[in-house]
Amino acid sequence: MSLLDASGLNEEQFLQQYNPGDFPRPSVAADIVIFTIADVEGDNFRKLPGKELRVLLVRRGGHPYIGQWALPGGFMRPGETVGEAANRELVEETGVNGGYLEQLYTFSAPGRDPRAWIISCAHMALIDSGQINVHAGSDAADAQWFVVKTENAGGYIELSLSGKDASLHATAALQNGDTDIQITKNVGLAFDHAKIILYAVNRLRAKLEYTDLVFRLVPERFTLTALQLVFEAILGRTLYKAAFRRKIVDLVQETECYTSDKGHRPAKIYVKKMKEEGGQNERTNTGEF
Amino acid sequence: MSLLDASGLNEEQFLQQYNPGDFPRPSVAADIVIFTIADVEGDNFRKLPGKELRVLLVRRGGHPYIGQWALPGGFMRPGETVGEAANRELVEETGVNGGYLEQLYTFSAPGRDPRAWIISCAHMALIDSGQINVHAGSDAADAQWFVVKTENAGGYIELSLSGKDASLHATAALQNGDTDIQITKNVGLAFDHAKIILYAVNRLRAKLEYTDLVFRLVPERFTLTALQLVFEAILGRTLYKAAFRRKIVDLVQETECYTSDKGHRPAKIYVKKMKEEGGQNERTNTGEF
DNA sequence: GTAATAGTGTCTTTGAGACACTATCAA
DNA sequence: TTGATAGTGTCTCAAAGACACTATTAC
């Protein structure tokens, strides 16, 4: 480029003399809603373990929101994308590298952090419970998994998070035109993290229906019933078996293996179907860039 | 709260002594993809005007990317959300206040702006062409509307933008698992704005199908055929009339009025149906917070 | 009449919802 | 045998796709 600007500078000269000035800049945090699916062991040897959706939270050891629970997160650093910052935190907290990570939304309300001007670029991570290794190198000694449940009742959404040591609860009101929500009650969650978690649950549920994100939450080999239980745990409602199987049959690939020693009829083991060269793959596009 | 932290401070004391430190912080820009629908006037008095999707771009008067076209945008300021920053720019560029504005995604690749560490929180705005008033108080003398067309061919997406004075073009390659795209060719678009525009077009197309966003792009009163032409212009394909009408009939409300003097059968005028108190409104939730 | 759009009817196909039924294992 | 899951068949209903047909205006 040899184009000159109004001062007669070419691009190289311009960049050399460029001064970013001293306008105020916010800190940018990458917060992550880390989801996993966990088994609920029953006492009946014949029953399959139930599944539940869990989110990882960290107990705050200092002000503000001391003693309350927050999403894992950290500040973005020069030379990395905000997604890389999120991944760094994900690895620190869970030991999982290469897990699924997706940017959700950037929360920037003034005052959302009482300490300083900090905006949060929220992310969602999905990891298979088999590879979880919480506390791997984490400085957050108080990281815990919380079971996620929501209830929808008359313009309000109730979010319940149940952990080993604590039960958290938030209520959100749907606002004008359902395009906005506002937290009206909040017990135990730090910052605006209740809002972020609700946003993430919403996104996860929506994408479950039109992408193949489920496979980020289950082991490589699974039965169709296990897969259905994962759907049900996330969506919070039961599905019809026949309809469910019709729907996902073209996303999975059967193997020759079966379960055994379960006290009931063995189930065929499936794996995720790999993309064919010439085939149509409508459900793989996640819409993210 | 009278809880004390490890230093024996309560929250108020902590916040008073809190020092945000001097860690590097990025500038945060709010860039906006402003869409509108415009008429394509024909020469046949009987023919309805065609519709086309347009995006507003600004010609850069200085380095970097001097002479190329960029999205309108500006920096986020303390005390406002990034959405408010976007709205400020939207009003400056178009004179439209209260238009539809939605946050898309935060682009943060290092080096995306050669001047400095600047991340971009991209937004999408939809305005009715009737209220457009480009240059209203704008300092960007070179703002122009570009017709948006995309073509999908074998793992690549072609984006074409046609304006009065310029034709821009970019090619994007779908990457691993379609979860990522990469711009492989770019003629005339500044920064990573080709990527942002593609992201916005994608989002708009997807939301058109399951929300009532169309009504942000059309005048208050419209015919069903005009509405269908808007859908077709955005989606880039023709729709079946009968099926289209079945689909949107429960989103619109007919009036007593008809078009006239058109050289063909008059069409009934419709308005957007307002939400009923007790009714179900499945298509109003946009999934945004 | 003619060229255009307005508006509707209907047949087919697809897929979800709902339910019932058979199959098969381990204790 | 029993209690559980595995797996399939099928009827219904709703919605989309595809096409054809009639209606109505300004010139």
Side-chain angles (χ1 to χ4, degrees):
Chain A
M1 290 285 189
S2 60
L3 285 177
L4 305 184
D5 66 8
S7 311
L9 301 178
N10 67 25
E11 179 158 357
E12 194 180 349
Q13 292 166 333
F14 167 83
L15 289 174
Q16 265 174 9
Q17 61 85 52
Y18 179 77
N19 177 1
D22 208 15
F23 297 107
R25 294 184 290 268
S27 297
V28 177
D31 289 326
I32 334 172
V33 183
I34 306 173
F35 287 123
T36 197
I37 294 289
D39 285 351
V40 189
E41 298 294 347
D43 45 355
N44 185 335
F45 82 99
R46 291 187 169 187
K47 280 225 170 185
L48 286 177
K51 305 276 185 190
E52 56 191 21
L53 179 66
R54 293 189 183 170
V55 65
L56 187 65
L57 298 178
V58 177
R59 194 209 301 263
R60 288 192 53 77
H63 291 304
Y65 297 103
I66 189 168
Q68 301 197 38
W69 295 84
L71 294 169
F75 288 107
M76 184 184 181
R77 299 175 188 164
E80 69 179 5
T81 66
V82 67
E84 284 160 1
N87 193 60
R88 189 160 33 76
E89 293 299 321
L90 177 61
V91 173
E92 261 181 42
E93 293 291 339
T94 66
V96 176
N97 204 338
Y100 180 80
L101 191 64
E102 168 182 335
Q103 190 191 115
L104 293 177
Y105 196 80
T106 298
F107 294 84
S108 60
R112 57 174 295 282
D113 190 315
R115 289 169 296 184
W117 186 19
I118 302 175
I119 71 175
S120 167
C121 188
H123 289 70
M124 172 175 78
L126 306 180
I127 61 185
D128 165 23
S129 49
Q131 9 175 289
I132 294 178
N133 181 16
V134 173
H135 292 187
S138 171
D139 52 351
D142 274 320
Q144 272 186 27
W145 291 99
F146 287 76
V147 180
V148 180
K149 288 219 164 64
T150 72
E151 204 162 331
N152 221 315
Y156 287 86
I157 305 173
E158 308 271 339
L159 171 70
S160 299
L161 303 172
S162 317
K164 189 161 56 75
D165 298 347
S167 260
L168 318 178
H169 193 271
T171 305
L174 293 174
Q175 303 239 289
N176 42 31
D178 299 354
T179 58
D180 198 8
I181 70 163
Q182 174 128 17
I183 300 294
T184 57
K185 213 182 81 185
N186 182 353
V187 182
L189 277 156
F191 306 104
D192 52 0
H193 290 185
K195 200 171 179 178
I196 296 178
I197 292 168
L198 274 173
Y199 190 95
V201 173
N202 251 22
R203 173 81 68 98
L204 176 61
R205 284 181 179 157
K207 284 209 153 185
L208 212 57
E209 314 253 21
Y210 66 95
T211 68
D212 56 3
L213 274 193
V214 223
F215 300 114
R216 303 308 195 123
L217 288 165
V218 297
E220 201 178 340
R221 296 154 57 78
F222 47 82
T223 66
L224 294 189
T225 300
L227 207 58
Q228 181 173 349
L229 289 172
V230 171
F231 268 85
E232 292 177 343
I234 295 172
L235 298 176
R237 62 191 169 90
T238 59
L239 303 174
Y240 293 92
K241 185 166 56 167
F244 174 78
R245 284 168 185 238
R246 277 195 304 257
K247 205 183 164 83
I248 51 130
V249 69
D250 45 339
L251 297 180
V252 297
Q253 171 82 52
E254 66 178 26
T255 68
E256 297 302 315
C257 307
Y258 286 83
T259 59
S260 59
D261 292 319
K262 294 293 187 198
H264 51 74
R265 175 173 168 179
K268 191 171 277 185
I269 306 270
Y270 287 78
V271 296
K272 180 188 171 193
K273 183 186 273 182
M274 288 303 129
K275 287 201 281 189
E276 303 127 54
E277 301 302 301
Q280 306 281 58
N281 292 286
E282 298 95 17
R283 280 188 51 167
T284 52
N285 192 317
T286 60
E288 289 308 318
F289 281 49
Chain B
M1 289 284 190
S2 60
L3 286 177
L4 306 184
D5 67 10
S7 310
L9 302 177
N10 67 23
E11 179 159 357
E12 194 180 351
Q13 293 166 331
F14 167 83
L15 289 175
Q16 266 174 6
Q17 61 85 50
Y18 179 78
N19 176 1
D22 206 16
F23 297 107
R25 294 184 288 269
S27 297
V28 177
D31 289 325
I32 334 172
V33 183
I34 306 174
F35 287 123
T36 197
I37 293 289
D39 285 352
V40 188
E41 297 296 346
D43 45 355
N44 186 334
F45 82 98
R46 291 188 168 187
K47 280 224 170 187
L48 286 177
K51 304 277 185 189
E52 56 190 20
L53 178 67
R54 292 188 183 170
V55 66
L56 187 66
L57 298 178
V58 177
R59 195 210 300 264
R60 288 192 53 78
H63 291 304
Y65 298 103
I66 189 170
Q68 301 196 40
W69 294 84
L71 294 169
F75 288 107
M76 184 184 181
R77 299 175 188 165
E80 70 179 5
T81 66
V82 67
E84 285 160 3
N87 192 59
R88 188 160 34 75
E89 293 299 321
L90 177 61
V91 173
E92 263 182 39
E93 294 291 339
T94 65
V96 176
N97 204 338
Y100 179 80
L101 192 63
E102 168 181 335
Q103 189 191 116
L104 293 177
Y105 196 79
T106 299
F107 294 84
S108 60
R112 57 174 296 282
D113 190 316
R115 289 169 296 184
W117 187 19
I118 302 175
I119 70 175
S120 168
C121 189
H123 288 71
M124 174 174 77
L126 306 180
I127 60 184
D128 166 23
S129 48
Q131 7 174 289
I132 295 178
N133 181 15
V134 173
H135 294 187
S138 170
D139 51 352
D142 274 320
Q144 274 186 26
W145 291 99
F146 287 75
V147 180
V148 180
K149 288 218 164 63
T150 72
E151 203 163 330
N152 221 316
Y156 286 86
I157 305 172
E158 308 272 339
L159 171 69
S160 299
L161 303 172
S162 317
K164 188 162 57 73
D165 298 346
S167 259
L168 318 178
H169 193 271
T171 304
L174 294 174
Q175 303 237 292
N176 41 31
D178 300 352
T179 58
D180 197 8
I181 69 162
Q182 174 128 17
I183 301 295
T184 57
K185 212 182 80 185
N186 181 354
V187 181
L189 278 156
F191 305 104
D192 52 1
H193 290 187
K195 200 172 179 179
I196 297 179
I197 293 168
L198 273 172
Y199 191 95
V201 173
N202 251 23
R203 174 82 66 99
L204 175 61
R205 284 183 179 155
K207 284 209 152 184
L208 211 57
E209 314 254 21
Y210 66 94
T211 68
D212 56 3
L213 275 193
V214 223
F215 301 115
R216 303 309 196 120
L217 288 164
V218 297
E220 202 177 340
R221 297 155 57 78
F222 49 81
T223 66
L224 293 189
T225 301
L227 207 58
Q228 182 173 348
L229 288 172
V230 171
F231 268 85
E232 292 177 343
I234 296 172
L235 297 177
R237 61 190 170 91
T238 59
L239 303 174
Y240 293 91
K241 185 166 56 169
F244 174 77
R245 285 170 183 236
R246 277 196 303 257
K247 203 182 165 83
I248 53 131
V249 68
D250 45 337
L251 298 180
V252 296
Q253 171 82 53
E254 66 179 24
T255 68
E256 298 301 315
C257 307
Y258 286 83
T259 59
S260 59
D261 292 319
K262 293 293 187 199
H264 52 73
R265 176 172 168 179
K268 193 172 276 185
I269 306 269
Y270 286 78
V271 296
K272 180 187 171 191
K273 183 185 275 182
M274 288 303 128
K275 287 200 284 188
E276 303 127 56
E277 301 303 300
Q280 306 279 56
N281 292 287
E282 298 97 15
R283 280 188 53 168
T284 52
N285 193 317
T286 61
E288 289 307 320
F289 281 49

